[in-house]
Amino acid sequence: VEPMRIAGAPGPKRITITGPAAGGKSTIAEVLLTWIIDNAPGLTVWFSHTDETAKEFAETRINRVLASCPRVVRWFPQNRNQKRTQATHFPHMSLLIQSANETNAQSKHIRHLICDETWQYPPGMLAQLHKRTTRFAHNRTILELSTGSLDGDETDQAWQQGTRQLWQIKCPSCGRHHAPRWTFDRIEAPGGVKWDQAARREDGTWDLRRVVETTTYECPLCQTRFPANAANGYTLNKEGCYTPPAADSMPRHWSFH
């Protein structure tokens, strides 16, 4: 996966990833975290948007991932007081899992900054967190993850400043790649999500069962239709790839969607 290749490369890097819920964004961050602990130690802070979500994610995801990785387990501190739900002080580095607020954005020199669901952060918070990494400008990692954003907000600006690389699926019928979309220009234009228009009743309402049963994805290049199911999802994505990076992106800033 291209974001993982970039995350493990030497030198400073900023990576902005936007995508759907359950699209693998947090998994990328979790794998990166295990790699950091074993290969690139330094104060690492994972920020969530509230205290509650930070604690819940630490309990249900992060700590379980770390405990399942032998190369991380060997670094666990012997003193149980050094390993808490939202803070683990390894012999060679510390990991903190916190909420993104004014208090937690102060008095830290962070080498690896992971910001989860940045679209929910207070305005200006992302910029404040970035400032905590300036001591490590030569080898820092800034990873920003978000389900979505609003035009012009900090997450949108971050994505626009990066390489703006879109995930492309490969149509098994025509063998060509394209970035999937709900519609391409117009609803009646080739490509995108389609369903039986007869599912619209005379009174204008929809027969939702019929919509679900007939929904397909149409390749905009050859008009082959693929029913909406897990098997086709796998087939379309297994040979997928990202679009080339934008030529006008900021140096050392990659963005993916």
Side-chain angles (χ1 to χ4, degrees):
V1 178
E2 187 66 7
M4 290 302 303
R5 186 186 70 81
I6 298 299
K13 60 200 77 80
R14 180 183 181 186
I15 305 169
T16 304
I17 302 176
T18 63
K25 302 183 299 298
S26 295
T27 299
I28 290 174
E30 290 164 347
V31 174
L32 172 63
L33 187 56
T34 62
W35 182 86
I36 286 171
I37 294 169
D38 196 47
N39 296 275
L43 176 59
T44 301
V45 187
W46 184 308
F47 284 101
S48 189
H49 60 287
T50 67
D51 290 326
E52 292 75 16
T53 55
K55 184 175 185 294
E56 179 181 356
F57 205 78
E59 292 174 335
T60 61
R61 291 283 299 265
I62 298 176
N63 290 333
R64 293 182 180 182
V65 168
L66 299 184
S68 70
C69 179
R71 296 186 69 88
V72 171
V73 171
R74 65 179 182 160
W75 291 108
F76 278 172
Q78 297 299 311
N79 185 340
R80 289 185 299 174
N81 293 325
Q82 297 295 303
K83 186 177 183 299
R84 302 190 296 275
T85 300
Q86 293 177 248
T88 300
H89 301 289
F90 300 95
H92 60 320
M93 62 168 282
S94 291
L95 165 66
L96 306 178
I97 305 164
Q98 300 181 326
S99 61
N101 58 42
E102 293 282 349
T103 300
N104 291 332
Q106 306 300 319
S107 304
K108 294 184 181 74
H109 296 291
I110 302 171
R111 179 181 175 186
H112 302 293
L113 174 66
I114 301 174
C115 299
D116 196 14
E117 295 297 0
T118 56
W119 71 279
Q120 295 184 308
Y121 288 12
M125 181 54 60
L126 204 54
Q128 287 192 52
L129 296 176
H130 282 199
K131 292 178 181 178
R132 308 317 308 168
T133 69
T134 53
R135 177 174 289 186
F136 298 97
H138 62 294
N139 66 352
R140 67 187 170 190
T141 303
I142 298 174
L143 176 60
E144 302 159 331
L145 312 169
S146 189
T147 301
S149 64
L150 300 174
D151 285 345
D153 69 8
E154 285 186 291
T155 299
D156 179 57
Q157 291 177 38
W159 197 87
Q160 296 293 341
Q161 291 167 5
T163 54
R164 303 190 297 282
Q165 293 172 253
L166 300 174
W167 179 252
Q168 301 178 105
I169 58 178
K170 182 179 179 180
C171 174
S173 181
C174 66
R176 290 177 286 179
H177 286 90
H178 70 274
R181 294 171 56 180
W182 186 266
T183 60
F184 290 79
D185 298 326
R186 309 179 314 277
I187 292 179
E188 63 271 17
V193 178
K194 309 287 186 181
W195 57 84
D196 185 0
Q197 292 301 302
R200 184 190 288 273
R201 303 186 181 98
E202 292 184 2
D203 62 1
T205 62
W206 288 94
D207 179 346
L208 297 182
R209 181 186 179 91
R210 183 62 179 160
V211 170
V212 171
E213 291 175 340
T214 61
T215 293
T216 61
Y217 181 80
E218 182 179 85
C219 173
L221 304 175
C222 69
Q223 284 80 65
T224 300
R225 292 195 176 190
F226 301 90
N229 57 52
N232 282 330
Y234 172 79
T235 298
L236 292 167
N237 281 281
K238 68 178 181 178
E239 295 185 61
C241 63
Y242 283 100
T243 56
D248 61 348
S249 62
M250 294 294 291
R252 310 295 298 179
H253 186 177
W254 291 265
S255 56
F256 301 95
H257 177 79

